[in-house]
């Protein structure tokens, strides 16, 4: 939807997932570092399934919104009266959401008895982001200069993210890549909001002058400020997570003193189980 | 051949190989997961040789068709009467088929006593796809807008596939990449058919309006719907294969109950043989 | 700052870091080769922290210089009197320095108790270089031909460096990549100086003819001569470092003769400590 | 030199190296497969040094030829009389040869006592090829269409080769990449000759019509025919090498029958030595 809400909706989705990833992967990494192994594997699997379900729901919401807003196509693709396609922009956005939905379905199926190959969930997420990128790339032709430029900056975040997620197919559980992905998702989120504010100011009033070169220069720079902010957010989330985990550990550590020998044995056992488990996976 | 059949022929070839790969690699992966080792290695080698032979035959059919259709060049490259090249488009298509033929020859030779290095078969397939991509890239200049666009979308599938196959040179037997390749081959196949339908409608009648921007927007989106369909096909094939393997296993499991100890020994022996075999390869 | 000093300042920073890296990584590699393990790990960690601090200082100097030169924006971004952005070029340069500052902060934090994941420092450096590259890419539009060309050559060094540093995220401590990075940093440094000399000759006088094609041809070639010189500098630094390490070793070797057995034991102990340490990291 | 000889000279160099590599790496791979370990390591090191020396000589010949042909610049860069650069095309070619010379120097130094890091030789070769590519890229602007196109096809071989050699920095001794490099070098060689024949026919007479689109279509296709021929040449060299090694082995095998036990011991010893050697390298 070429209005403020049409950019705020996907922006919120990306922001949500970016924030969630920055917390989730920080926690996973830090708790591994500090040697806490509390039902880890099963816990993360369940989280992944829930995340997949959340993706499906977000994608469905997005698709329905694009189709059934008052000026949407209401599932009509070709109008035989006007001999023309109906609301193709909305259909393109629906297609973008569709691939995120597919990615969510693969996330959920990854832990089904079908034993989908590891890495397929990342590949599908990468494909979804690539599809979004290609659709945007062809989407913005024949638009004013500022509009093209502000969307082409988005492509940096999109293709950067798609490439980085593609690397995760082969370098799974690399925390650096995972936090990088989180930062790029936050960047996409805030940038969608920014596009909304620039092109369709929600308080009414005219948009920016789309042919002014200095606006373009500012927007370029602004994009990277958004990224600096995204990095800051990830850093804050990491630090907060670190403090929480550290605190929990100190509390549980005090309780564990009397149980030292017993715990050590249990750890070994769970470790062995884990190895077998990961072997089987 | 710039007509419907000239696009349907390669489309069918790609579709055939895509479907075949999606079944083959699913089966290979699932049967490994479920621990069935029935003459595996030799079996797959024979399959690879047959696949190579099929590639050679397809390439030959394609080359002959391009050369000897009624309006083809019939192996004449330069006409000294007209001081000009003869039917260069057909010659370019012949060249594309040629490289797939070379890839087939390397597939077949891989298991000859020549002991070709592992990975060479994937490299040659990747080269064949890259050559197809470059030829298409230079092929479509000076054409109407829709024609250029519909072929340039194909380039996404081609170069994506070529890159992914190139990765297989180093990450051989990575099932995620193999299924990705299958899905991109199916996409190419169906897209060739789509190109045929759009530019040269088989029921006669005029083609689409090649300068209408909304047609271009629709075609872009349609390309990704094809990919969603390709993913669905791969998913269905994977699931069917999973069910088959599961069923076979249950049947053979019932027969094996009385033979447990004997089988275990045999497994170990075959496993040792396998290790030696793969070492030698 | 679009003047000689505005190019000499970043040029000097890059030159400094390039020279320092070429010595540091040569020393690290050669002393490992020749089996000297003098408090190595702690020593390099301290160096990395100092390097990070140096990066922060350089970035701060750069940012302050861009903001508070006489014709700078003095932290004003938007002028409500003139209804326009203030000195956007300076703001863009400030943004470039900002990301190098962020990279320095991550370098310093890498050895804090926060246990940042390994590779994050390289990722942030790579991001800083990419940001510099993208900002330059959009920066040079609407300029004379020679100006555009001389900056676009810089992009080769920038994106080459960014890509190579990105590889270091996964291939940490690969001396080939590290020396390559050093050579590209030196290249950037000398090229910034060259740009200053060509576009804003410090001795006054007119700049070069910006529309003469032969000037562009010369500049292209000149860029690669700079790289040849950068390679020569790295080679000289490597050789000098090699000679120094060799000499030190001979001296300490003479002292060690009487202490052989003792040293061997100590080595084993420190080696074990090292392994545990690297395990923990 | 913009004439037939100026293209034939580098063409011959590339062809020579391509043929040599296809034999050398085939032999290395096959003799490893067939378990012959005759002074291998030292032998190959010596070969590498000789290869580096050959590179230096070729580069010197090329540089001298470019500078001192009758219409060359004779080491003059700037003519103060005409206020202009002298023969920049020749200087650019000299620069290309220079980087191949640097690569040769690094090859030779790799086995000096300086203990250059492994992979540096490949990196320098890759850099040399990249530099050639970038120089060509900027070289061909402002030329007729066919001239641009025929050189831009060369860029496929150049950048493909540069990328593949860059991969060898990390995947050293990967025979697939080495044979791929050989094939691309042969392609470059024959294509340089082809360029010479097309643009500067040695038998005098006018060149081809540079604005005819069908010439461009033919040249595109012709480029890939050259590659098919290059693949064939590599395949023939591989097969011939295989037959030779097989034959030698049979002869030496007959001699070895009486010495079986002794040889086995020797093999183990040399194998241990090899492992230590490769460890130290």
């Amino acid at each position: 939807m070429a209005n403020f809400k049409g950019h705020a909706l996907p922006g919120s989705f990306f922001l949500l997932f970016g924030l969630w990833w920055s917390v989730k992967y920080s926690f996973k990494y830090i708790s591994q570092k500090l040697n806490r192994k509390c039902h880890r594997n099963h816990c993360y699997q369940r989280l992944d399934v829930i995340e997949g379900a959340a993706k499906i729901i977000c994608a469905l919401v997005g698709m329905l919104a694009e189709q059934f807003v008052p000026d949407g196509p209401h599932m009509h693709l070709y109008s035989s009266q006007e001999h023309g396609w109906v609301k193709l922009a909305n259909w393109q956005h629906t297609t973008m959401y569709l691939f995120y939905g597919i990615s969510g379905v693969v996330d959920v199926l990854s832990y089904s008895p079908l034993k989908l190959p590891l890495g397929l969930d990342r590949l599908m997420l990468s494909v979804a982001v690539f599809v979004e990128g290609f659709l945007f790339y062809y989407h913005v032709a024949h638009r004013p200069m500022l509009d093209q430029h502000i969307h082409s900056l988005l492509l940096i975040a999109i293709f950067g993210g798609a490439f980085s997620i593609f690397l995760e197919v082969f370098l799974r559980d690399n925390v650096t890549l995972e936090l990088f992905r989180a930062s790029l998702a936050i960047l996409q989120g805030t940038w969608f909001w920014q596009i909304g504010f620039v092109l369709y100011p929600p308080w009414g009033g005219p948009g920016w002058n789309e042919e002014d070169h200095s606006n373009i220069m500012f927007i370029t720079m602004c994009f990277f400020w958004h990224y600096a902010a995204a990095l800051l957010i990830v850093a804050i989330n990491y630090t907060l997570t670190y403090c929480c985990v550290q605190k929990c550990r100190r509390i549980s550590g005090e309780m564990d003193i009397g149980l030292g020998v017993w715990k050590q044995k249990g750890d070994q056992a769970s470790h062995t189980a884990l190895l077998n488990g990961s072997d089987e996976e």
Side-chain angles (χ1 to χ4, degrees), chain A:
Chain A
M1 300 162 281
N3 54 35
F4 182 74
K5 280 181 202 158
H7 287 88
L9 188 73
S12 309
F13 290 156
F14 280 112
L15 204 53
L16 209 80
F17 273 93
L19 291 172
W20 160 241
W21 285 337
S22 70
V23 173
K24 173 184 161 194
Y25 293 119
S26 296
F27 181 79
K28 197 171 165 186
Y29 171 75
I30 293 167
S31 60
Q32 273 178 358
K33 269 280 183 229
L34 302 180
N35 268 336
R36 287 163 49 88
K37 302 186 195 82
C38 52
H39 335 291
R40 215 172 52 202
N41 241 23
H42 284 283
C43 181
Y44 286 125
Q45 286 191 9
R46 209 168 296 163
L47 273 184
D48 281 359
V49 172
I50 295 171
E51 200 183 301
K55 254 189 233 170
I56 298 173
I57 292 168
C58 289
L60 278 179
V61 169
M63 287 160 83
L64 293 175
E66 288 289 344
Q67 288 292 330
F68 296 108
V69 285
D71 61 339
H74 294 84
M75 303 297 293
H76 294 290
L77 179 59
Y78 191 81
S79 150
S80 47
Q81 294 156 334
E82 302 174 24
H83 291 289
W85 306 103
V86 179
K87 302 269 172 202
L88 280 177
N90 290 48
W91 275 103
Q92 288 204 341
H93 299 153
T94 309
T95 308
M96 294 186 202
Y97 284 116
L98 172 68
F99 274 84
Y100 283 103
I102 293 176
S103 158
V105 170
V106 173
D107 280 11
V108 170
L109 289 182
S110 277
Y111 298 103
S112 74
L114 272 172
K115 289 176 182 291
L116 288 195
L118 264 180
L120 208 63
D121 49 350
R122 302 297 148 91
L123 182 68
M124 278 306 106
L125 183 56
S126 172
V127 163
V129 185
F130 268 120
V131 169
E132 189 201 347
F134 283 119
L135 279 173
F136 264 111
Y137 178 79
Y138 290 117
H139 196 51
V140 295
H142 307 288
R143 300 270 191 94
M145 206 165 61
L146 182 66
D147 193 340
Q148 278 197 27
H149 184 68
I150 208 170
H151 280 96
S152 80
L153 286 169
L154 194 60
L155 291 182
I156 297 176
I158 294 176
F159 283 118
F163 179 70
S164 135
I165 298 169
F166 187 72
L167 283 182
E168 283 189 62
V169 176
F170 312 107
L171 297 160
R172 205 186 173 77
D173 291 325
N174 183 316
V175 70
T176 311
L177 282 178
E178 289 167 339
L179 292 179
F180 187 46
R181 162 157 52 112
S183 73
L184 287 174
I186 294 174
L187 173 63
Q188 263 204 66
T190 60
W191 196 245
F192 265 115
W193 278 87
Q194 177 80 47
I195 294 178
F197 278 111
V198 168
L199 300 183
Y200 315 99
W203 41 74
W208 296 19
N209 179 353
E210 304 222 352
E211 297 300 336
D212 184 355
H213 183 61
S214 71
N215 277 343
I216 286 180
M217 275 183 83
F218 172 73
I219 279 296
T220 310
M221 186 169 53
C222 185
F223 179 73
F224 293 105
W225 291 355
H226 275 253
Y227 192 53
L231 289 177
L232 189 69
I233 293 171
V234 173
I236 291 171
N237 281 351
Y238 182 90
T239 314
L240 289 179
T241 311
Y242 181 80
C243 295
C244 286
V245 173
Q246 197 75 306
K247 207 171 179 181
C248 292
R249 196 193 175 202
R250 220 168 295 142
I251 293 167
S252 70
E254 283 163 10
M255 301 196 312
D256 279 359
I257 289 177
L259 306 163
V261 181
W262 174 79
K263 191 175 179 302
Q264 218 172 357
K265 279 185 190 168
D267 263 17
Q268 281 176 351
S270 74
H271 189 66
T272 316
L274 205 85
L275 281 172
N276 294 346
S278 67
D279 205 357
E280 227 183 281
E281 206 135 71

